[in-house]
Amino acid sequence: MSALPQSANMLTDALGESLKRAQAQVNSLVLGKAQEVRLAFVALLSDGHLLIEDLPGLGKTTLAHALAATLGLGFQRVQFTSDLLPADIVGVSVYDAQARRFEFHPGPIFANIVLADEINRAPPRTQSALLEAMAEHQVTVDGSTHHLPQPFFVIATQNPVDLAGTYPLPDSQLDRFLLRLTLGYPSADAERALLTGVDRRDLIAQSLPVLSSDDVLQLRGAVEDVHASDALIAYVQALLTRSRQHPGVRVGLSPRAGLALLRAARAYALLLGRGHVLPEDVQALFGAIAAHRLVAEAEAGTGVSLAKSILLAVPVD
């Protein structure tokens, strides 16, 4: 990685080095997934949320725990099950007889990093408990609004929806996730290292935080300073327009998806040590941002294949 840029709100040398060490530490815990780890940091620095979808046992929860161990932030894990209730996530008001009033008891959502493990094993009513928190960084209980700590970052894992006991995430819920990624099977070398090395849980438990909450907020401010030219914005807009006209797409990308793509591209450029966004940054992120937002016609393929064909259909001027 080249030297990170500096300007009025950019990174100091110390913070740039801390960001490098944070990525290196997560890569040492999640072997052979450098691009996926980078995308996880993109979601964090973009003030977005991350959805990791894959088969059981491929490291989804390990990646979430590795990120939490690397960041000196409050962490809560919620295991989503079929009997989980919204109040189990956001909290509940309990009547205090002595004070003669209701007092709010916050749920696990009141943490900097929340791991929603196997989110699609809970019914849609429970999944929806995260909607306000993810969009507004607050929850409303019994007419009272409670603000969440900052920074706030949701990492959700889910198994493929064709597995038994899963509920597809509603489109409104999917749209709250900045990125969706899959890990896939490890390479032969990475799998060998996993089989012969120390248990990942022990390594994560021994890991020390590298970035603090103030560091994360400063990094998010630096992302906003990364330059996106008019030509780059025109390219993003062309992708959005094409997604709404592309054969096989029933519902294309919204303006909010375009803002997410641009914000994530700025974070991606920053992680690569640049102060400006290139079309290659947009292309590297487009599938992870667009695939879960595109609604395909019947027999038109998956969101992943549609995202790839949209990218190929829009030239870079």
Side-chain angles (χ1 to χ4, degrees), residues 112-171:
N112 297 115
I113 301 177
V114 177
L115 169 58
D117 213 4
E118 297 186 303
I119 187 174
N120 60 337
R121 290 200 177 277
R125 177 169 175 263
T126 302
Q127 295 173 10
S128 66
L130 290 172
L131 283 174
E132 182 185 9
M134 294 173 67
E136 308 294 338
H137 292 189
Q138 66 182 32
V139 296
T140 303
V141 179
D142 296 334
S144 297
T145 298
H146 306 274
H147 294 280
L148 297 171
Q150 293 299 319
F152 177 67
F153 182 43
V154 173
I155 307 171
T157 70
Q158 73 166 357
N159 298 318
V161 294
D162 56 347
L163 292 183
T166 59
Y167 301 83
L169 293 181
D171 291 341

Side-chain angles (χ1 to χ4, degrees), residues 11 108 274:
L11 307 187
R274 281 188 271 102

Side-chain angles (χ1 to χ4, degrees), residues 199-236:
D199 189 285
R200 297 293 107 180
R201 290 172 295 186
D202 294 336
L203 289 176
I204 291 172
Q206 297 166 11
S207 300
L208 297 176
V210 177
L211 293 173
S212 67
S213 58
D214 289 341
D215 292 336
V216 173
L217 293 175
Q218 187 176 344
L219 287 165
R220 287 179 174 181
V223 166
E224 297 176 2
D225 282 352
V226 175
H227 178 68
S229 66
D230 291 341
L232 190 284
I233 293 174
Y235 177 55
V236 170

Side-chain angles (χ1 to χ4, degrees), residues 196-308:
T196 58
V198 179
D199 189 285
R200 297 293 107 180
R201 290 172 295 186
D202 294 336
L203 289 176
I204 291 172
Q206 297 166 11
S207 300
L208 297 176
V210 177
L211 293 173
S212 67
S213 58
D214 289 341
D215 292 336
V216 173
L217 293 175
Q218 187 176 344
L219 287 165
R220 287 179 174 181
V223 166
E224 297 176 2
D225 282 352
V226 175
H227 178 68
S229 66
D230 291 341
L232 190 284
I233 293 174
Y235 177 55
V236 170
Q237 189 172 16
L239 289 170
L240 299 179
T241 302
R242 179 67 188 189
S243 75
R244 301 160 192 164
Q245 304 168 350
H246 198 69
V249 176
R250 181 160 58 89
V251 179
L253 299 177
S254 67
R256 181 161 58 187
L259 290 170
L261 179 58
L262 194 57
R263 189 168 67 250
R266 286 188 165 104
Y268 193 85
L270 183 71
L271 286 167
L272 292 178
R274 281 188 271 102
H276 60 280
V277 183
L278 296 177
E280 289 85 348
D281 303 325
V282 175
Q283 293 163 354
L285 293 164
F286 187 72
I289 288 177
H292 63 288
R293 291 180 166 93
L294 294 169
V295 179
E297 299 280 5
E299 308 299 327
T302 64
V304 174
S305 62
L306 287 172
K308 289 180 180 178

